[in-house]
Amino acid sequence: MSDRPSRTHAPRLRDGLRPSLITFVAVRIGLIVLAAFATGLFPARDAVSVPGWIAPPIGHGWHGVFAALERQDALWFLRIATTGYAAGDGSAAFFPLYPLVIRAVSWIVGGHPLLAATLVSNLSFLGSLLVLYDLTVREFSEGNARKTVVYVAIFPTAFFFFAPYSESLFLLLSLVAFRQARRDRWTSAAAAGALAALTRSLGVALAPALIVMALERRGERGHVWPRVAAGTAVLLGPLAYLGWWGVAHGDALAPIHAQAHWQRTATFPLTTLWNAVRLAAGHGVRDPGYWIIDVLVVGVVIVAVAAGWRRLPPPSLAYALGSLLIPLSYPFPPRPLLSMPRFVAVIFPAFWVLADGAERHRVPHTAIVASFAGGFSLLAVLFMNWWHIF
C-alpha cells in the first residue's frame, strides 16, 4: 500500500492516544444522543427475552440511554455472565471469555452485569482504536492510521463495539496478536490470539494469518518453526472451550451442535452470496429491507478486501479472507447474511484499504465518512427499537 514514511523514532503506542480518544469520545457522545431520541424515530418492535434473562422495556428520553443497547444477543452474554451455560438452550454458541470478564468486573462494581458489560466493551474498544492506530502506523502511515481509526469507529455496525457484545474485546485481542507478531514477540502474540479465539469462534482466522506472518520471517534471526507453533497455538482457545463442555456436560462438540439450534447450515460461500443478492432484489420476500441492509454493509467490506488483494500484507489478507469465508460457509438460509454486518466490523484490513484509497484520493474521504455515519445512525436506532439488526 502506501509507502512507509521515514520516522525519527519507532512508533509508540501512546502516539495514537489523542486521535483515538477524540474519535471514541465523539462517537460515544453521538450514540448517547441517538439513544435519547431513538424511541420516537421508528416504531418499536416487540422485545425478545432469552432463557434466564428478561428483555428490558424500551426506555424513553434520557432515562433509557443506559439500557438502550441491551438488545438481541446482549441478553445472552448477560445471562451467561450471571448464571452460566445450560445444555441444550443454544448458549454454547457464545464463547466464554467475554462473559467471564463481565462476571469479574461485575463483582468489582458491586454486582451490576450491565454496567460491567458496558465498561468492558467501551474500554476494550478504546484500547482497540489505540492499538489499531499503532499497528496501522507500523504497516502504512500516520495519515492512514487517522483515517482507519475514524472509519472503524463510524462503520454502520460499529455501535456493537459499545454494546454488551463481544466484538470490542475480540477486536482488541486480535489487534494485539497482530501487533505483537509484527514486533516478533510471539509468546504474547500466541496468548492474545488464543484469547481472541476464546472470545469468538471466528478467532480461528487468526491462526493462518499468524502462520503466514511467521513464514514471512524465514531467514531472520531465530528458527521459523517456534513462530509457526505460536500461530498454531491460537487454536488452543477454542480447544479449551470444547474441552470444558466435554468435562462439564459430556458433549465436547456442544458449541458446534449449537449452530443447528440457530439453524445455520454448511453452504458454499458463493452460493450464500448469490442467495443473499437474490433475496435483496426481492425474490421470495415481500419486504427486502433487511436483506438490502445486509448486502450493502457486507458488500462494502467484501469489495474493500477484493480491492486490496495485491496491496494488503499477506497475513492481513489471510485474516480478512478467513473472517469472511467462515460465516459465509455457515449461513442462516432464510437470511443468508444474518449477523454478518456485525461480523465484518472487526475485519480491520478492509478499513486499511479504504483509508489507503482516501489517502491516495482514489475514494473521497467525505463520502466514506458521510455514508458510514448515516448508516451508523440508522442501524443504531433500529437496533435500539428491537428491529432485527443482529
Side-chain angles (χ1 to χ4, degrees):
M1 279 193 175
S2 304
D3 295 332
R4 295 177 188 170
S6 58
R7 303 187 187 93
T8 57
H9 61 80
R12 298 168 299 185
L13 192 60
R14 65 177 180 268
D15 292 342
L17 181 59
R18 185 173 183 272
S20 298
L21 186 59
I22 290 174
T23 301
F24 174 85
V25 171
V27 178
R28 177 71 260 191
I29 291 174
L31 196 54
I32 290 172
V33 173
L34 283 174
F37 298 99
T39 54
L41 298 177
F42 289 93
R45 299 299 176 89
D46 292 335
V48 180
S49 300
V50 304
W53 197 268
I54 303 298
I58 293 179
H60 298 279
W62 296 105
H63 297 290
V65 167
F66 183 69
L69 296 176
E70 188 184 354
R71 303 289 186 265
Q72 312 295 2
D73 288 351
L75 277 61
W76 280 105
F77 286 117
L78 294 169
R79 200 296 302 274
I80 295 167
T82 304
T83 62
Y85 290 96
D89 68 350
S91 60
F94 299 89
F95 274 45
L97 185 61
Y98 181 65
L100 285 172
V101 176
I102 293 174
R103 178 175 292 189
V105 176
S106 180
W107 179 81
I108 295 172
V109 298
H112 300 284
L114 178 58
L115 173 60
T118 302
L119 288 172
V120 171
S121 291
N122 283 255
L123 291 176
S124 293
F125 187 51
L126 177 58
S128 297
L129 295 180
L130 188 60
V131 179
L132 177 60
Y133 186 97
D134 179 86
L135 182 62
T136 308
V137 169
R138 292 175 184 274
E139 293 287 357
F140 309 118
S141 70
E142 292 181 1
N144 193 302
R146 286 190 292 271
K147 288 182 172 62
T148 299
V149 164
V150 171
Y151 295 167
V152 168
I154 64 171
F155 186 67
T157 52
F159 58 88
F160 283 108
F161 292 128
F162 300 89
Y165 273 70
S166 60
E167 264 62 32
S168 53
L169 180 61
F170 175 78
L171 178 60
L172 174 61
L173 292 168
S174 299
L175 288 165
V176 169
F178 262 88
R179 180 177 183 269
Q180 293 304 90
R182 173 80 168 73
R183 300 170 69 201
D184 207 24
R185 298 183 178 182
W186 288 92
T187 300
S188 53
L195 289 174
L198 196 60
T199 305
R200 282 184 53 193
S201 60
L202 290 179
V204 298
L206 288 167
L210 295 185
I211 290 172
V212 169
M213 195 179 299
L215 293 175
E216 284 185 327
R217 292 182 174 272
R218 285 176 297 182
E220 295 186 10
R221 179 175 56 86
H223 297 290
V224 68
W225 294 115
R227 298 182 175 112
V228 171
T232 306
V234 168
L235 301 178
L236 294 177
L239 288 175
Y241 183 47
L242 296 177
W244 179 85
W245 271 96
V247 172
H249 296 280
D251 182 8
L253 299 181
I256 298 173
H257 297 155
Q259 298 304 319
H261 178 90
W262 301 105
Q263 302 177 47
R264 291 188 177 272
T265 58
T267 306
F268 186 62
L270 290 179
T271 302
T272 299
L273 288 174
W274 172 247
N275 291 337
V277 171
R278 289 185 71 256
L279 290 167
H283 295 281
V285 294
R286 292 181 58 186
D287 182 1
Y290 286 124
W291 291 265
I292 292 173
I293 289 172
D294 293 344
V295 168
L296 288 176
V297 176
V298 175
V300 168
V301 173
I302 292 176
V303 169
V305 172
W309 181 267
R310 293 187 177 183
R311 301 183 66 81
L312 282 172
S316 304
L317 180 62
Y319 170 71
L321 290 175
S323 298
L324 286 170
L325 290 175
I326 292 172
L328 286 173
S329 299
Y330 292 93
F332 172 64
R335 188 175 165 186
L337 300 183
L338 181 71
S339 296
M340 274 204 68
R342 169 168 56 92
F343 295 164
V344 299
V346 301
I347 305 179
F348 59 89
F351 300 96
W352 281 346
V353 176
L354 293 173
D356 182 66
E359 278 286 283
R360 297 188 297 127
H361 306 290
R362 300 290 181 86
V363 184
H365 172 67
T366 53
I368 297 174
V369 171
S371 58
F372 278 15
F376 179 103
S377 301
L378 173 63
L379 297 190
V381 170
L382 291 176
F383 177 76
M384 293 172 189
N385 283 288
W386 281 99
W387 287 56
H388 298 160
I389 305 298
F390 299 104

